[in-house]
Amino acid sequence: RTRVVGKTRCNLHSSRSHVIFVLHVEQSSAGDEKLGKLTLVDLAGSEKVSKSDCAGETFEEAKKINWSLSALGKVIDALAEQRPHVPYRDSQLTRVLQEALGGNCRTTLLVAASGCAQHADETLSSLRFATRAKSVRRVFE
């Protein structure tokens, strides 16, 4: 399916959806089997509705994007603070990423940040999220 983009006041080519690509790799030789999984995720950026001036369908998409990013932030906070309950079920995004975030995985996060003063609030928000995500430590037994 083609990725959905829409025009807002903040971004002429604003992504209106998250993209998740999962690659399963299997290696077998002489009875020895190794399995691997690579999950690549491109998250749609959150936009303040008041700044992006979106309405109608674009407004509804923005609400859903912001909801799922908020749920992801709650999961990251719970993992970083090593809480006994992690709210993976709060959104479809966090359910799909549960293994990548809280499983026996190596996770790397890349943040796209803008040097433009106009987008300073969004950039700071993204960097704060990255800082919280960086504090997640998984302990394996």
Side-chain angles (χ1 to χ4, degrees), residues 52-119:
S52 64
D53 199 29
C54 58
E57 188 177 331
T58 307
F59 174 72
E60 293 303 317
E61 290 169 345
K63 285 192 329 189
K64 290 177 183 175
I65 290 167
N66 290 342
W67 173 264
S68 65
L69 292 173
S70 176
L72 179 59
K74 290 176 185 176
V75 166
I76 295 296
D77 287 342
L79 290 170
E81 296 172 10
Q82 297 182 341
R83 291 187 210 146
H85 173 71
V86 180
Y88 291 113
R89 293 185 178 188
D90 285 0
S91 83
Q92 190 174 2
L93 174 67
T94 54
R95 270 181 270 169
V96 170
L97 296 178
Q98 181 173 353
E99 187 180 3
L101 295 171
N104 184 12
C105 297
R106 180 180 305 249
T107 303
T108 301
L109 174 70
L110 302 175
V111 175
S114 173
C116 182
Q118 173 185 353
H119 303 297

